[in-house]
Amino acid sequence: MFCSEKKLREVERIVKANDREYNEKFQYADNRIHTSKYNILTFLPINLFEQFQRVANAYFLCLLILQLIPEISSLTWFTTIVPLVLVITMTAVKDATDDYFRHKSDNQVNNRQSEVLINSKLQNEKWMNVKVGDIIKLENNQFVAADLLLLSSSEPHGLCYVETAELDGETNLKVRHALSVTSELGADISRLAGFDGPDTKLMQNSGKTKFKRTSIDRLMNTLVLWIFGFLICLGIILAIGNSIWESQTGDQFRTFLFWNEGEKSSVFSGFLTFWSYIIILNTVVPISLYVSVEVIRLGHSYFINWDRKMYYSRKAIPAVARTTTLNEELGQIEYIFSDKTGTLTQNIMTFKRCSINGRIYGEVHDDLDQKTEITQEKEPVDFSVKSQADREFQFFDHHLMESIKMGDPKVHEFLRLLALCHTVMSEENSAVRNPEGQIKLYSKGADTILFEKLHPSNEVLLSLTSDHLSEFAGEGLRTLAIAYRDLDDKYFKEWHKMLEDANAATEERDERIAGLYEEIERDLMLLGATAVEDKLQEGVIETVTSLSLANIKIWVLTGDKQETAINIGYACNMLTDDMNDVFVIAGNNAVEVREELRKAKQNLFGQNRNFSNGHVVCEKKQQLELDSIVEETITGDYALIINGHSLAHALESDVKNDLLELACMCKTVICCRVTPLQKAQVVELVKKYRNAVTLAIGDGANDVSMIKSAHIGVGISGQEGLQAVLASDYSFAQFRYLQRLLLVHGRWSYFRMCKFLCYFFYKNFAFTLVHFWFGFFCGFSAQTVYDQWFITLFNIVYTSLPVLAMGIFDQDVSDQNSVDCPQLYKPGQLNLLFNKRKFFICVLHGIYTSLVLFFIPYGAFYNVAGEDGQHIADYQSFAVTMATSLVIVVSVQIALDTSYWTFINHVFIWGSIAIYFSILFTMHSNGIFGIFPNQFPFVGNARHSLTQKCIWLVILLTTVASVMPVVAFRFLKVDLYPTLSDQIRRWQKAQKKARPPSSRRPRTRRSSSRRSGYAFAHQEGYGELITSGKNMRAKNPPPTSGLEKTHYNSTSWIENLCKKTTDTVSSFSQDKTVKL
């Protein structure tokens, strides 16, 4: 088989238990986990190969080769190789560090111990050394790092309980049965290794992680190509100029240059000059750009990791930036796709109510038998008589205990079922024999599934229990239906024998087993239903409201049913009673779904509206302008709710545009009963047709596909394992931390990266284009203006640290003001701080600075003598003057660009100037000239030039002429057309001056408001009741328990926040127009 051929899919696997010699001939994979990319031998060749696949690195490698050709190179090789080696080395160190941690993680898994049966003895063996066919003994709570076949168990009937949270996110225990032929062996043997290493389910299902790139990355790649094209144009212009000069003027210099007549044609001279200028002007394509960007992103990632306000102290879980390449995209999010259970809710179930034989337990009634709210003064049921009772559990209906004491058979049966089927699962069954010898089948599951399996005699009780389910749903509780069946002893034995035969079958095994379970799970007798509460996490309402004010749209994608999804929407204030309409799409086929979408759009836009097809305009700003025009035609707030069955039809090619246009015009979108694949499809739909930056957040393995599909994936370290976290780009413990991640870290990262890029391109154009102007005065001879060592050190020593400090530490407003004023987030969504227009402005700024840097010293030096009467208009003095002017101008410029000064900024900016002068005087000294006479020809020039007052006057004039237009423009812009950020920054300065330095406002903890949210399914048909809001329109209900006493009206909180934001903005400038 050739190496390029794909590995054939295994149909069957032949294994002999405890026979390594036999199994090795099949060459099964070993059990070693490999997620690392390199080893000691392969690191250097593979990493270099990867790095030179980048266009910039390959480009500079070609330049280095060109510089080795003496006919075209006027620069020595070290001017290119020094920065190239530095960039490659820094990138290699970063890649090696990342891979080291991958190796460390792999070793932790590979070196875990297991007990393997070898030579008839149980021996300790590392998991990485386990082979296919080995017999392994597992203890309770032991880690499993291979796919195993259960042979026997110490539990009765060969049962084993496995938690698969790392695989599928499920925290409940899964029941596994041993093989019937080996189950009677008991604890003598345990499990057989079937699939190892990369063949295991976990590694197979981990999927291929998509390489994510930010919009700024894509824009940078485009701009670098434009710059390269610009460089080619400059080279062509100068090459043409050289050919013309050679043909018209160059003949006068042939004798002086010892050229023979006709030895060198003007065309060939122009050709060589083209390549010479490509080498000289190569700094316009910034080699250090990418490595500088990576350093800045790394710093931003550490700020996220170190943020104590995103640290969850209850479980000691910090926020973690699992990638360093996406930070600035956090400041451009337009759509958030969120899971519900465990993401918005706590995923911790509290038993609240139940319905047993048509009676509700858990409600509290007054003396007139009227239902009342639970208050703190209400006495809970005393469970202390039972030593096993949970001391923290509170239940306020004493009728349940009374029914238990009276021996109500239905209540006892109900509680016995819960004791035996004790996990929160969508469906679970248990067959048990009671002390009287009777066999009972206990079943618990979703009402839609269980009600279809009931005996016809349950019709009255079914209707009553359905009403109770509707009531529980209205209160935000998660429900399960409870039923049982009495089984005949003879029938059960026959059925169990058929089940054993089906388990041993080699063909259609799963179908036969499913059919047998379907047969026994019929004619069930309904007992009632349970209702548990899954509360919202702390701060969810505040976070959702704040993100909405930042113009971020939040879509909830959940696997729960419609009633559940709607109620969580009301609980989070995504849905409110004040909304103009809530569109519910529940069509059963494509035609019905399309018709429902069209009707909803007519209600939203009006009968005479011409609908667009949902496709985007290529340019982001044009698209957003179109969206704003469409949104202006919408008056009021709308919401869209669609179930998974209808969504499958809506995602078809001829309907999805209608779905997307309607959904994007709604304030809230909730997709319920969706599969993991549909979650990913919804995200891809918005990414593709809206050209919007998306974020997906979830806590379970069923959210992994959604997390990987979005531009940014966030994992919640919750109750459902680590699969979502491992697949994510960022992780933390609580949904509320998303507010700080986006509004503070995301906005700052975008702000800093944009300022860094603007300045970086500006200084490179200002530095490089001086050579272009000089070409017109040196006969297009490809002579450099600066000393070659200055060209080498300018980007990597003189100007690297100040721009890095600005890119890492700068901030326009404080973190608290970033949270208090979410509208500050909008410039990132609109790409206002760095785009193609901003790039051209930076280029024009750099061109202007290069003109000033060249022509002011050139004019000042024209026929000028020094103070001592000597002529100073020589090439070396001219070069030193321009180089000094350049360093000072770009340093002053970055000082003007810096909004937030730290000690590091001061040291880096002013220290860089000091380093420049130190190196300048060192390289121009007699001592270094004596050691390296060929490399440092500018001997004594710095000392001679910089002692002349006229030189410093030229430097001062150049600096003022370069900087003053920028200062004047920014002053007028901030005064006449201030942005919201300008106003808040001005307000911050005023507050800082007005407040005494020692005074500090005490921190106050704001109590949170939240409603109960739930995620379990109920019988279809209650959506209209919940969407009508009739069951939850009570205003300001009194607190019902001590835990709920801290709740307050969330609408008031939202109004206060909006009012606070408006008042804050107004206080910055009462008569100024706020412009983004």
Side-chain angles (χ1 to χ4, degrees):
M1 180 179 293
F2 295 100
C3 295
S4 59
E5 292 183 3
K6 293 184 178 180
K7 182 180 178 181
L8 295 176
R9 185 175 180 179
E10 283 187 282
V11 179
E12 63 179 10
R13 176 166 284 202
I14 302 173
V15 178
K16 277 190 178 182
N18 202 26
D19 191 343
R20 287 189 173 185
E21 183 178 354
Y22 174 82
N23 297 326
E24 283 176 356
K25 69 180 182 180
F26 295 100
Q27 297 182 349
Y28 295 129
D30 61 22
N31 201 38
R32 187 186 298 269
I33 300 297
H34 296 277
T35 61
S36 56
K37 295 171 62 177
Y38 318 107
N39 58 40
I40 295 177
L41 296 178
T42 62
F43 173 75
L44 191 60
I46 294 179
N47 188 262
L48 287 177
F49 176 75
E50 290 176 344
Q51 290 206 54
F52 282 110
Q53 284 185 317
R54 298 175 182 174
V55 176
N57 291 346
Y59 164 72
F60 279 94
L61 181 62
C62 294
L63 279 181
L64 179 61
I65 296 173
L66 290 175
Q67 282 182 278
L68 299 177
I69 304 174
E71 286 80 7
I72 64 174
S73 179
S74 56
L75 288 174
T76 54
W77 56 270
F78 60 78
T79 58
T80 297
I81 197 171
V82 171
L84 180 61
V85 169
L86 182 64
V87 168
I88 290 176
T89 302
M90 293 181 66
T91 306
V93 169
K94 175 183 175 294
D95 293 341
T97 303
D98 291 342
D99 207 57
Y100 166 75
F101 287 110
R102 295 191 195 101
H103 275 285
K104 189 175 180 180
S105 177
D106 291 346
N107 290 335
Q108 287 179 349
V109 177
N110 292 331
N111 291 322
R112 284 174 172 167
Q113 295 292 320
S114 63
E115 287 187 276
V116 181
L117 187 65
I118 301 176
N119 298 327
S120 303
K121 292 183 180 180
L122 284 174
Q123 300 181 16
N124 286 333
E125 187 74 273
K126 294 179 180 179
W127 271 108
M128 65 179 178
N129 296 328
V130 171
K131 304 293 184 181
V132 173
D134 283 354
I135 295 177
I136 303 168
K137 181 181 179 181
L138 293 179
E139 301 289 343
N140 190 33
N141 296 324
Q142 187 173 344
F143 179 86
V144 181
D147 288 351
L148 304 178
L149 178 66
L150 181 61
L151 300 178
S152 66
S153 170
S154 59
E155 293 292 315
H157 309 295
L159 296 179
C160 176
Y161 300 93
V162 183
E163 182 186 284
T164 58
E166 295 291 337
L167 182 63
D168 56 15
E170 296 289 343
T171 55
N172 49 274
L173 299 178
K174 304 291 194 308
V175 180
R176 295 292 181 263
H177 298 269
L179 295 176
S180 57
V181 295
T182 60
S183 61
E184 301 301 326
L185 296 176
D188 292 338
I189 62 172
S190 183
R191 293 181 175 232
L192 177 72
F195 292 88
D196 290 347
D199 293 336
T200 60
K201 281 185 180 180
L202 184 60
M203 297 300 291
Q204 292 287 328
N205 291 335
S206 60
K208 187 177 180 181
T209 302
K210 296 181 180 179
F211 178 68
K212 297 182 178 181
R213 299 168 63 185
T214 66
S215 57
I216 286 184
D217 273 335
R218 294 188 290 271
L219 178 60
M220 279 198 306
N221 290 338
T222 302
L223 296 181
V224 168
L225 291 176
W226 287 4
I227 293 172
F228 182 73
F230 180 67
L231 172 62
I232 297 296
C233 293
L234 293 181
I236 292 173
I237 293 172
L238 294 170
I240 294 173
N242 177 266
S243 297
I244 296 174
W245 188 88
E246 283 289 341
S247 62
Q248 297 181 358
T249 312
D251 292 339
Q252 303 173 16
F253 292 86
R254 292 187 184 276
T255 303
F256 175 74
L257 297 176
F258 304 103
W259 287 358
N260 296 323
E261 189 71 26
E263 181 179 331
K264 190 176 182 181
S265 69
S266 59
V267 176
F268 184 67
S269 175
F271 172 77
L272 295 180
T273 301
F274 169 80
W275 293 108
S276 297
Y277 271 110
I278 291 295
I279 295 173
I280 292 174
L281 300 175
N282 74 80
T283 51
V284 77
V285 179
I287 185 175
S288 58
L289 173 64
Y290 292 99
V291 68
S292 299
V293 166
E294 291 301 321
V295 171
I296 291 173
R297 286 171 172 168
L298 183 63
H300 296 170
S301 298
Y302 277 113
F303 288 154
I304 294 173
N305 297 341
W306 294 338
D307 193 343
R308 293 185 178 181
K309 295 183 179 179
M310 298 173 66
Y311 177 78
Y312 191 54
S313 58
R314 294 182 185 176
K315 295 186 177 180
I317 300 176
V320 178
R322 301 177 57 83
T323 180
T324 60
T325 59
L326 303 173
N327 296 320
E328 67 271 12
E329 195 116 287
L330 290 170
Q332 300 178 277
I333 301 299
E334 297 175 64
Y335 290 87
I336 293 177
F337 301 91
S338 175
D339 180 39
K340 186 189 72 64
T341 305
T343 303
L344 300 176
T345 63
Q346 298 178 14
N347 200 14
I348 299 175
M349 310 306 155
T350 304
F351 184 79
K352 284 293 183 180
R353 298 193 185 181
C354 61
S355 171
I356 305 176
N357 199 30
R359 179 178 178 179
I360 292 179
Y361 293 93
E363 295 179 345
V364 178
H365 298 79
D366 57 17
D367 296 336
L368 300 177
D369 202 29
Q370 296 294 320
K371 180 180 177 182
T372 61
E373 299 292 342
I374 299 175
T375 61
Q376 189 175 10
E377 292 77 17
K378 183 66 179 177
E379 194 71 27
V381 177
D382 183 13
F383 293 105
S384 60
V385 294
K386 298 292 184 181
S387 60
Q388 299 90 351
D390 185 355
R391 302 299 179 185
E392 298 181 1
F393 175 65
Q394 287 186 324
F395 197 77
F396 295 90
D397 188 355
H398 295 265
H399 293 97
L400 181 60
M401 288 299 295
E402 293 174 1
S403 298
I404 294 174
K405 292 177 182 178
M406 293 174 59
D408 189 326
K410 294 295 184 181
V411 174
H412 279 259
E413 196 77 48
F414 182 91
L415 296 176
R416 187 180 298 112
L417 188 152
L418 292 182
L420 294 170
C421 301
H422 51 76
T423 59
V424 183
M425 298 174 61
S426 59
E427 186 174 5
E428 184 181 51
N429 301 293
S430 298
V432 299
R433 187 186 298 271
N434 62 16
E436 290 77 23
Q438 186 178 17
I439 300 177
K440 287 183 175 289
L441 174 68
Y442 289 144
S443 184
K444 177 183 68 173
D447 52 284
T448 51
I449 298 175
L450 208 63
F451 286 175
E452 295 178 354
K453 301 178 179 181
L454 296 179
H455 192 274
S457 62
N458 290 270
E459 185 175 351
V460 176
L461 181 58
L462 172 62
S463 176
L464 193 57
T465 305
S466 298
D467 293 338
H468 294 167
L469 286 173
S470 177
E471 182 178 341
F472 297 156
E475 297 175 6
L477 302 177
R478 304 172 62 172
T479 64
L480 286 175
I482 305 296
Y484 74 98
R485 178 187 176 187
D486 293 325
L487 298 177
D488 179 74
D489 197 8
K490 180 181 178 182
Y491 168 78
F492 180 75
K493 288 181 179 180
E494 293 176 354
W495 179 88
H496 191 264
K497 179 63 171 60
M498 289 188 291
L499 180 64
E500 289 181 343
D501 294 340
N503 281 321
T506 58
E507 296 181 358
E508 298 182 350
R509 177 177 176 272
D510 293 338
E511 291 80 0
R512 292 176 61 180
I513 293 174
L516 288 170
Y517 278 119
E518 189 71 26
E519 178 186 337
I520 200 172
E521 295 171 4
R522 57 183 177 85
D523 294 336
L524 299 176
M525 303 301 296
L526 182 62
L527 277 173
T530 60
V532 298
E533 182 182 45
D534 184 12
K535 292 183 178 179
L536 289 177
Q537 293 182 14
E538 182 182 352
V540 167
I541 298 176
E542 295 91 329
T543 301
V544 169
T545 304
S546 183
L547 295 177
S548 298
L549 290 174
N551 199 35
I552 299 175
K553 295 185 177 181
I554 303 177
W555 293 19
V556 177
L557 309 179
T558 175
D560 302 316
K561 291 195 63 179
Q562 183 172 297
E563 297 83 1
T564 306
I566 291 173
N567 193 276
I568 200 65
Y570 279 104
C572 297
N573 275 304
M574 296 179 187
L575 300 175
T576 64
D577 296 334
D578 297 329
M579 281 187 163
N580 296 70
D581 204 349
V582 176
F583 305 117
V584 179
I585 308 300
N588 294 318
N589 52 59
V591 176
E592 292 180 3
V593 170
R594 184 186 297 108
E595 186 61 28
E596 291 179 5
L597 290 172
R598 295 283 170 86
K599 287 182 179 179
K601 288 169 64 178
Q602 289 176 358
N603 293 335
L604 189 64
F605 297 113
Q607 295 288 340
N608 298 323
R609 165 145 176 84
N610 294 322
F611 304 125
S612 65
N613 62 1
H615 288 278
V616 299
V617 184
C618 295
E619 288 292 335
K620 178 75 173 231
K621 191 170 182 180
Q622 294 178 354
Q623 175 221 329
L624 291 170
E625 289 175 353
L626 177 62
D627 293 344
S628 63
I629 293 173
V630 174
E631 290 175 2
E632 287 176 0
T633 64
I634 302 173
T635 57
D637 294 332
Y638 297 85
L640 173 66
I641 298 167
I642 184 170
N643 60 47
H645 184 75
S646 301
L647 183 63
H649 298 294
L651 290 174
E652 295 177 359
S653 59
D654 58 337
V655 185
K656 62 184 178 184
N657 293 326
D658 291 330
L659 169 68
L660 186 63
E661 183 177 13
L662 175 63
C664 291
M665 293 300 106
C666 291
K667 180 180 179 181
T668 299
V669 176
I670 299 177
C671 302
C672 47
R673 274 301 188 207
V674 293
T675 65
L677 176 61
Q678 286 179 323
K679 290 183 178 182
Q681 288 175 333
V682 172
V683 175
E684 291 288 353
L685 180 67
V686 175
K687 280 178 59 179
K688 182 178 180 180
Y689 291 106
R690 295 296 292 182
N691 195 26
V693 181
T694 59
L695 180 147
I697 180 170
D699 72 319
N702 57 343
D703 303 315
V704 168
S705 57
M706 173 178 70
I707 287 173
K708 288 185 175 181
S709 296
H711 292 96
I712 303 287
V714 177
I716 299 290
S717 304
Q719 307 291 326
E720 296 193 10
L722 296 176
Q723 279 299 93
V725 171
L726 294 176
S728 66
D729 305 304
Y730 301 88
S731 65
F732 41 72
Q734 294 282 288
F735 181 83
R736 67 177 183 269
Y737 297 146
L738 183 63
Q739 178 185 12
R740 186 167 178 84
L741 181 69
L742 300 187
L743 301 188
V744 178
H745 292 287
R747 202 185 71 82
W748 277 353
S749 295
Y750 173 73
F751 169 78
R752 292 162 176 166
M753 185 61 69
C754 292
K755 291 190 72 172
F756 161 79
L757 291 173
C758 289
Y759 176 80
F760 199 95
F761 286 119
Y762 152 75
K763 78 177 179 67
N764 271 48
F765 273 86
F767 165 59
T768 305
L769 291 183
V770 172
H771 295 293
F772 179 76
W773 312 125
F774 185 58
F776 290 91
F777 296 89
C778 68
F780 306 96
S781 60
Q783 173 67 40
T784 60
V785 180
Y786 310 114
D787 174 21
Q788 295 188 12
W789 282 105
F790 179 82
I791 295 174
T792 303
L793 300 177
F794 177 77
N795 271 321
I796 63 176
V797 176
Y798 301 148
T799 60
S800 61
L801 294 181
V803 70
L804 286 178
M806 183 181 70
I808 294 175
F809 299 108
D810 203 33
Q811 53 182 262
D812 53 347
V813 300
S814 66
D815 58 339
Q816 188 58 50
N817 285 330
S818 296
V819 174
D820 289 343
C821 193
Q823 291 89 340
L824 286 167
Y825 191 80
K826 293 182 181 179
Q829 298 171 323
L830 299 174
N831 281 334
L832 294 183
L833 300 187
F834 186 75
N835 47 43
K836 294 173 183 176
R837 177 176 172 272
K838 284 282 187 180
F839 169 74
F840 284 116
I841 292 175
C842 296
V843 171
L844 293 176
H845 187 193
I847 293 173
Y848 167 76
T849 302
S850 68
L851 286 167
V852 173
L853 285 170
F854 179 79
F855 284 102
I856 288 183
Y858 180 82
F861 274 49
Y862 194 75
N863 291 331
V864 168
E867 297 174 10
D868 54 0
Q870 296 182 4
H871 197 275
I872 63 171
D874 60 277
Y875 163 71
Q876 292 186 351
S877 298
F878 182 63
V880 169
T881 303
M882 276 202 303
T884 305
S885 300
L886 174 63
V887 171
I888 294 176
V889 165
V890 297
S891 298
V892 172
Q893 183 63 50
I894 199 170
L896 293 174
D897 289 344
T898 301
S899 304
Y900 183 76
W901 284 89
T902 66
F903 175 76
I904 297 176
N905 292 88
H906 283 289
V907 171
F908 283 180
I909 292 176
W910 315 126
S912 294
I913 297 177
I915 289 174
Y916 162 72
F917 283 109
S918 301
I919 295 177
L920 177 68
F921 282 104
T922 300
M923 290 193 302
H924 290 197
S925 65
N926 295 332
I928 194 115
F929 175 76
I931 301 173
F932 305 103
N934 295 327
Q935 300 298 331
F936 299 95
F938 279 41
V939 58
N941 184 267
R943 183 173 63 254
H944 174 264
S945 300
L946 297 180
T947 55
Q948 305 282 338
K949 294 180 181 178
C950 61
I951 297 294
W952 284 105
L953 288 175
V954 171
I955 293 173
L956 177 62
L957 178 61
T958 303
T959 303
V960 172
S962 299
V963 173
M964 282 307 296
V966 178
V967 174
F969 173 78
R970 292 184 181 180
F971 175 81
L972 294 175
K973 182 175 179 293
V974 171
D975 188 64
L976 299 177
Y977 304 101
T979 64
L980 181 58
S981 176
D982 294 332
Q983 298 181 48
I984 296 179
R985 189 161 57 248
R986 184 186 302 169
W987 177 80
Q988 282 182 173
K989 292 179 180 178
Q991 291 292 102
K992 188 176 181 180
K993 291 179 180 179
R995 186 171 59 245
S998 59
S999 65
R1000 298 178 67 92
R1001 296 173 61 185
R1003 294 184 180 180
T1004 59
R1005 183 178 179 88
R1006 181 184 297 161
S1007 59
S1008 62
S1009 171
R1010 58 186 186 271
R1011 289 181 55 180
S1012 299
Y1014 64 98
F1016 272 4
H1018 310 283
Q1019 182 177 358
E1020 296 182 4
Y1022 307 123
E1024 295 181 1
L1025 173 64
I1026 298 176
T1027 53
S1028 68
K1030 294 178 181 179
N1031 60 330
M1032 51 184 72
R1033 288 182 184 269
K1035 296 183 178 180
N1036 300 325
T1040 56
S1041 68
L1043 293 175
E1044 297 172 354
K1045 187 176 180 180
T1046 58
H1047 294 188
Y1048 60 90
N1049 187 280
S1050 56
T1051 304
S1052 299
W1053 182 90
I1054 297 169
E1055 292 173 353
N1056 290 336
L1057 176 61
C1058 296
K1059 184 176 185 298
K1060 176 184 177 182
T1061 303
T1062 306
D1063 293 344
T1064 303
V1065 174
S1066 300
S1067 68
F1068 297 144
S1069 178
Q1070 296 181 356
D1071 55 356
K1072 302 287 185 185
T1073 303
V1074 176
K1075 295 185 67 178
L1076 292 177

